[in-house]
Amino acid sequence: MADETIGIVGAGIVGLALGREIALRRPGTRVVVMEKEQRVALHQTGHNSGVVHAGIYYTPGSLKANLTVRGVALLREYCQDRGLPYREIGKLVMAVREEELGRMENLYTRAKNNHVPDLRKVSKDEIRELEPHAGGIAALHSPRTAITDYPAIAREFAKDITGSGGEVRLGFPVTGVTTVPGGIEVASGQRGITVDRLVLCAGLHSDTVARLAQDRAEPRIIPFRGEYMLLKPDRAHLVRGLLYPVPDPRYPFLGVHFTPRVDGTVEVGPNAVLALAREGYRLAKVSMRDLLGLAAYPGSWRMAAQHWRTGVKEYRGSLSATAFMRDAGLYVPGVGAKDVVRGGAGVRAQALDRDGTLVDDFRVHQVGRITAVRNAPSPAATASMAIAEHIADAVFADA
């Protein structure tokens, strides 16, 4: 119905992209985005590295692969139309050890199956032509991989929503979700709003908000903090484009890499350490509630049993700049702890199943007229506009 009210919980880039998509798709529908913070894009979107991924890494045919390829095209067009930053600076995925060459070859096959544009293999000498200061013995070159400003895009999405007659309601932490005759009541303390349909895009809190809506408990969100170093300004010239390692297929994380930003800085990172709070952007931030939730969940212990060695290594890098930069120096030889300063950090909402499996693909649950986005991992920002199309299809499947 064109006069419906659609509620969306979460004003990150996915929630805002969805609000915009619904407003465009169904004129006359009132969209209300509810956000606990006083501004949009404060958490995962606001701590994003700014990379527009081309689709190299993802399992062909998966939702993640399909939505990423579609999302890149939509995002590029949107940024060009709105005058937002979008720079195709290219990416090198570099092998620095002989044993990585087989994984790199598998990655090339996967990327070609995902129709990554203009991807090619490059030799050691060709790496130096593209990146004179880089290491590596072979690489994949993705010239169309880009960088952008995701918080700026999210703010633009919010303007699209309000410009279409919708609302972005800030300072509205959701404390209750109740299905009532004719709608869904969403409470924030003593305040409330009744909507016809509700979509939960709560990111770091997606499992707790979903439980308010009587969705099943799994997957749970395990927060991983990703910490960055910044190349000192007089060393930033050493990196032209994005420099990435060949990823370990056992993990959803891509490893420490070099990332030029649209503001001219160059980040090194992130690592991936278990955060002690869902919004634990600092090492000292601890939430006993979040820790008790982690300890009570069987999947946490099963994950720890599988990956504790990697966890120890990541924490070592968190505490020591020298350890952090040890592997990074393989990709830009000579760059070490003396060349960087501590940068910012982000927290990734990593979904975890009860058996200890790190959930890799997007996961969306339907509970009556409530749609719960339970896992929207990287590259959710890249794919946000395509994810919005996909979720809107699910929301209105019975319309």
Side-chain angles (χ1 to χ4, degrees):
M1 295 171 59
D3 59 351
E4 283 186 319
T5 297
I6 308 298
I8 299 170
V9 177
I13 197 167
V14 172
L16 293 168
L18 175 62
R20 174 185 178 274
E21 174 66 23
I22 291 172
L24 289 173
R25 184 181 294 202
R26 298 172 73 87
T29 296
R30 181 180 177 227
V31 174
V32 181
V33 180
M34 293 159 270
E35 168 57 47
K36 73 184 183 74
E37 305 293 354
Q38 294 297 331
R39 65 179 190 269
V40 305
L42 187 64
H43 291 292
Q44 291 186 104
T45 305
H47 294 82
N48 192 287
S49 66
V51 177
V52 183
H53 293 281
I56 294 173
Y57 306 102
Y58 318 120
T59 302
S62 67
L63 197 55
K64 184 184 281 194
N66 294 339
L67 294 180
T68 300
V69 172
R70 168 74 175 156
V72 169
L74 293 171
L75 196 69
R76 182 192 305 115
E77 182 179 357
Y78 187 81
C79 288
Q80 291 172 347
D81 181 61
R82 301 302 175 92
L84 295 168
Y86 190 96
R87 294 171 49 204
E88 291 183 343
I89 63 172
K91 174 194 286 187
L92 283 172
V93 181
M94 297 193 297
V96 295
R97 303 176 181 91
E98 291 287 338
E99 58 265 30
E100 295 174 347
L101 294 175
R103 296 210 313 262
M104 192 186 82
E105 188 65 35
N106 292 338
L107 194 63
Y108 177 76
T109 301
R110 174 174 288 197
K112 296 301 287 186
N113 287 336
N114 287 338
H115 308 289
V116 174
D118 303 326
L119 185 75
R120 65 188 182 99
K121 302 175 190 177
V122 294
S123 66
K124 183 175 181 178
D125 290 341
E126 289 172 306
I127 290 174
R128 306 298 180 273
E129 292 174 8
L130 294 164
E131 292 280 357
H133 303 284
I137 57 176
L140 304 180
H141 182 224
S142 171
R144 302 290 293 278
T145 298
I147 55 174
T148 190
D149 183 340
Y150 285 116
I153 293 170
R155 292 191 293 269
E156 198 70 17
F157 287 164
K159 291 178 185 177
D160 292 339
I161 293 167
T162 56
S164 299
E167 179 184 358
V168 179
R169 189 172 295 191
L170 302 175
F172 194 93
V174 172
T175 57
V177 176
T178 307
T179 299
V180 298
I184 301 159
E185 290 184 354
V186 184
S188 178
Q190 298 303 309
R191 298 171 294 166
I193 182 174
T194 300
V195 299
D196 295 287
R197 302 172 191 264
L198 182 66
V199 187
L200 310 178
C201 299
L204 288 162
H205 301 276
S206 61
D207 54 348
T208 56
V209 174
R211 286 201 295 274
L212 295 176
Q214 307 304 309
D215 191 16
R216 57 187 180 268
E218 282 81 33
R220 295 284 184 88
I221 292 300
I222 305 298
F224 279 91
R225 185 174 61 254
E227 301 160 330
Y228 290 90
M229 298 288 183
L230 287 173
L231 283 183
K232 292 178 179 178
D234 64 346
R235 305 296 277 169
H237 71 279
L238 297 176
V239 178
R240 294 177 176 176
L242 298 151
L243 304 181
Y244 275 62
V246 177
D248 187 328
R250 295 174 296 173
Y251 306 109
F253 311 108
L254 297 179
V256 170
H257 44 270
F258 289 79
T259 306
R261 302 295 301 263
V262 294
D263 64 3
T265 59
V266 178
E267 289 182 333
V268 189
N271 58 358
V273 298
L274 187 65
L276 304 181
R278 289 181 188 246
E279 297 172 15
Y281 300 106
R282 294 177 292 106
L283 186 63
K285 178 69 179 292
V286 178
S287 165
M288 290 307 300
R289 181 177 181 177
D290 291 342
L291 281 178
L292 289 172
L294 281 172
Y297 185 50
S300 302
W301 297 100
R302 291 165 181 153
M303 176 192 69
Q306 296 176 55
H307 303 306
W308 68 270
R309 289 181 179 84
T310 299
V312 169
K313 178 184 176 184
E314 293 293 302
Y315 269 109
R316 189 178 296 125
S318 178
L319 297 171
S320 164
T322 299
F324 189 103
M325 293 299 295
R326 188 168 293 124
D327 284 345
L330 298 173
Y331 300 91
V332 183
V335 170
K338 67 184 185 304
D339 303 300
V340 297
V341 294
R342 289 277 178 183
V347 180
R348 173 183 176 132
Q350 176 60 55
L352 181 71
D353 277 329
R354 180 170 283 267
D355 65 359
T357 300
L358 298 166
V359 181
D360 185 53
D361 208 356
F362 297 114
R363 192 173 290 185
V364 179
H365 295 174
Q366 199 72 33
V367 185
R369 294 166 72 84
I370 300 172
T371 304
V373 180
R374 297 298 299 269
N375 193 46
S378 177
T382 297
S384 57
M385 297 179 77
I387 295 171
E389 292 179 336
H390 177 77
I391 296 172
D393 289 343
V395 169
F396 298 111
D398 62 349

